[in-house]
Amino acid sequence: DELSAEHVLVFPGGQVALQTASLACARDGCRSVVFTPGYQSTVESPLWAADNGGITEIERRPEDGWRVDLDEVRKAIRGNENTTKFLILNEPWNPGGILMTLETQSELIRVCRENDTIVLCDEVYRLLEHEPSGETRLPSMAAAYEKGISAVTMSKPWGGCGITIGWLACRDLSIIRKLIDVQYFGTACVSRASEIQGRMVLASSDFILKERLEIIRTNKESLRIFIEERYREWFSWKRPNAGAIAFVKFEGPWTAEDLGRHLAEVGISIKPAYCFVRKVGVKERGLVDYF
């Protein structure tokens, strides 16, 4: 089915869009599935919904290449007395810059469809796949699944952070109506000036994306040389294949948090793993060395 204007809601930024989706879909006793480590809003936002049913956290593990564990997804969705009706993904995945395969996406959708589970996918790094021909690009969740919601923002692929425009897309108009009911009380009106600026940026989308990808590929190669050749005894990673991000392990004598403090003294900023995992559990999950 085609997506049209009636299937899209515009917000003042992607953050508000994610919050609105969770407030609308994770309420009334609904339990949600989230993945950790992950961008904070994709992990915690269901807990902000009224009368939410809590969250089931599924770990993405370095020893598995940070892949989504479909067995864990099946267990989470089919358990909990059939109350799990909302799942949040982040693909390409932040913080790792890893993109799941089409086969994984298709099977995850099949499992969710069987249980009538809504899938919200934060797709802010979509269109920034590293392969020149884009062959690793997945269908948007809104296009691939009738109960899929795609969250998009101007800030990542197009570098339009100051425009503060984001949107949600979904083919199911009953879900769109639920989103509108929540949107009305928080962000009923979006800046017209921002919308005009957004249209101007999108008119030059191909040029901007090409330039962004050239920068990403150049920086990725520099980082690859740094990690895999020059200082391989100090750092390791699962090489990313999408987005402008990577999750790196420090193999030295400090934790990533310690490393961050030392780097901050010379003006270098990193985000240790605790930024992507709820504070309790970073050490237990073996992520203290990641940033």
Side-chain angles (χ1 to χ4, degrees):
D1 294 340
E2 295 294 325
L3 290 166
S4 62
E6 66 178 347
H7 300 110
V8 179
L9 292 180
V10 180
F11 296 83
Q15 183 71 264
V16 180
L18 289 173
Q19 294 170 1
T20 298
S22 286
L23 291 175
C25 299
R27 61 199 307 175
D28 301 327
C30 171
R31 190 166 186 85
S32 303
V33 174
V34 300
F35 296 87
T36 185
Y39 183 60
Q40 185 180 19
S41 291
T42 66
V43 177
E44 298 183 10
S45 59
L47 298 175
W48 309 335
D51 192 29
N52 69 82
I55 61 176
T56 300
E57 296 186 37
I58 296 178
E59 292 185 43
R60 298 180 74 146
R61 301 181 178 89
E63 61 268 26
D64 295 332
W66 303 113
R67 69 178 180 84
V68 169
D69 189 329
L70 289 172
D71 288 335
E72 291 295 320
V73 173
R74 294 185 190 96
K75 187 187 305 181
I77 288 182
R78 292 169 181 170
N80 299 307
E81 298 180 347
N82 202 36
T83 61
T84 302
K85 298 297 182 183
F86 189 49
L87 180 145
I88 306 182
L89 278 174
N90 185 195
E91 292 289 328
W93 173 60
N94 183 3
I98 305 297
L99 188 63
M100 66 168 56
T101 65
L102 178 60
E103 291 75 19
T104 297
Q105 185 197 54
S106 299
E107 178 60 16
L108 185 140
I109 288 172
R110 188 188 69 79
V111 173
C112 290
R113 181 180 285 122
E114 288 177 351
N115 196 63
D116 201 31
T117 296
I118 295 171
V119 177
L120 168 65
C121 191
D122 180 352
E123 298 173 355
V124 299
Y125 286 107
R126 191 169 180 269
L127 305 182
L128 294 178
E129 297 82 5
H130 298 172
E131 292 299 325
S133 60
E135 62 257 27
T136 58
R137 182 173 301 156
L138 295 173
S140 70
M141 188 56 65
Y145 178 36
E146 61 276 8
K147 288 188 176 293
I149 305 172
S150 292
V152 188
T153 177
M154 296 295 302
S155 65
K156 297 301 189 296
W158 299 281
C161 301
I163 296 173
T164 60
I165 286 288
W167 59 92
L168 298 174
C170 181
R171 283 189 281 153
D172 189 323
L173 292 180
S174 68
I175 295 176
I176 289 290
R177 285 191 289 271
K178 289 173 63 174
L179 295 170
I180 290 173
D181 288 344
V182 175
Q183 179 194 38
Y184 178 79
F185 289 99
T187 59
C189 299
V190 178
S191 165
R192 180 59 177 155
S194 292
E195 289 187 326
I196 292 171
Q197 288 177 310
R199 292 184 66 176
M200 292 169 64
V201 169
L202 291 176
S204 300
S205 179
D206 290 345
F207 174 81
I208 293 171
L209 291 175
K210 180 183 178 184
E211 181 184 58
R212 293 292 181 271
L213 282 167
E214 288 173 355
I215 294 170
I216 287 171
R217 290 174 187 136
T218 298
N219 291 345
K220 179 182 174 182
E221 178 59 15
S222 297
L223 193 55
R224 185 198 66 78
I225 293 171
F226 182 90
I227 292 173
E228 298 180 11
E229 296 180 14
R230 292 183 62 187
Y231 299 104
R232 58 187 178 187
E233 71 275 20
W234 292 100
F235 300 95
S236 62
W237 67 342
K238 166 69 174 175
R239 197 183 299 176
N241 62 358
I245 46 178
F247 211 28
V248 179
K249 183 178 183 182
F250 180 57
E251 304 281 4
W254 306 320
T255 67
E257 195 168 349
D258 294 331
L259 177 65
R261 281 194 291 269
H262 288 291
L263 291 176
E265 293 173 359
V266 293
I268 298 174
S269 175
I270 64 171
K271 292 185 182 295
Y274 71 78
C275 296
F276 303 97
V277 180
R278 292 197 295 166
K279 188 67 174 178
V280 176
V282 175
K283 182 177 181 180
E284 292 78 2
R285 295 175 185 183
L287 297 174
V288 292
D289 300 321
Y290 284 87
F291 65 93

